Amino acid sequence: MEINNQLAEDSLPIILQQIAAGDEVAFRQVFAFFYKRLYHFAFVIVKTKESAEEIVEDVFIRIWQHRANLANIQNLKVYLYTATKNTALNYLSKKARENITEPFDHINIELIQPAISPEQIMITGEMYKKIQEAVDALPPRCKMIFKLIREDGLKYKEVSEILNISVNTIDVQMAIAVKRIALALETDMHFKRHSTFK
C-alpha cells in the first residue's frame, strides 16, 4: 500500500514514532512509499538490479533492527537517501580495488522516463526527446544532482546533505544543467527555422 505525498510529508514524525514502538504496518507504509525511489537511486550508483534491491532492503532491515533510535532522525527522506548512498558506495568499494574519492564523477547516471501526460506539459515528443538527450549528455555529478532535484523532488538542502556537497555547488550544477538544456533546445529551434526557409 502506497501512502500519498501529503501523508508522507505531514505524518512522518508520527509514523516514525509508530515504527519506533514496533508498528509493522507503519514500517510497511514507509517501505512502500520510499522503496522505488531509493531503488532507482541505488541502481544509478551500482548499475545492477540485484545489488540495488539488496542495498535498499539492507537499509530497511537496519532501520527495523534499530527502530528504537528513529525518534532521533530529523529528516527521514535525507536519512534514507544518505543510508542508501553510503551502502551503495560501500558495496562499490568492496567490488573495486581502487580508492573511490569522487564516486559520482565515474558513474553513468540514467534518469527514469517520467510519465508525462499532455495535460501536464504542453510539449512535443520531439522537443521532449531533445531535453532527454541534453540531460543524458550532462556530466555524471551534474546529472545526479538534476535527477534528485527534478525527478525525485528533493530540496537543495536535502541533496546537499545526501551528497555531502554545498548548496552553492548544487546551485551551480543546476544552472549548468538548465543552461545546457536551454542551449540544446535553442540550437534545435534555430536549425528548424533555417531549414524551413531553404
Side-chain angles (χ1 to χ4, degrees), residues 44-153:
V44 298
I45 299 171
V46 298
K47 304 305 288 176
T48 70
K49 185 175 178 262
E50 295 76 16
S51 303
E53 286 171 353
E54 197 178 303
I55 284 161
V56 178
E57 283 162 12
D58 282 353
V59 167
F60 279 102
I61 287 166
R62 282 200 303 274
I63 283 173
W64 183 251
Q65 287 171 340
H66 304 287
R67 59 189 176 276
N69 302 325
L70 287 179
N72 303 324
I73 295 172
Q74 298 297 315
N75 185 328
L76 181 63
K77 199 178 354 178
V78 169
Y79 180 84
L80 288 171
Y81 272 92
T82 305
T84 303
K85 178 198 76 172
N86 292 339
T87 308
L89 293 180
N90 286 341
Y91 167 84
L92 285 181
S93 68
K94 282 177 191 170
K95 288 286 193 187
R97 288 177 187 228
E98 71 273 10
N99 185 25
I100 304 169
T101 50
E102 294 291 338
F104 299 112
D105 290 336
H106 308 293
I107 295 169
N108 178 28
I109 312 297
E110 288 176 14
L111 299 183
I112 312 159
Q113 297 289 333
I116 297 175
S117 68
E119 295 80 31
Q120 287 172 315
I121 295 179
M122 296 301 291
I123 193 166
T124 66
E126 206 174 313
M127 214 179 210
Y128 180 69
K129 191 176 167 220
K130 280 283 164 202
I131 291 170
Q132 282 304 116
E133 285 170 4
V135 170
D136 288 339
L138 292 172
R141 180 174 292 242
C142 187
K143 203 195 303 191
M144 172 67 83
I145 291 164
F146 188 84
K147 174 203 176 338
L148 290 173
I149 289 168
R150 287 293 165 91
E151 192 177 283
D152 291 4

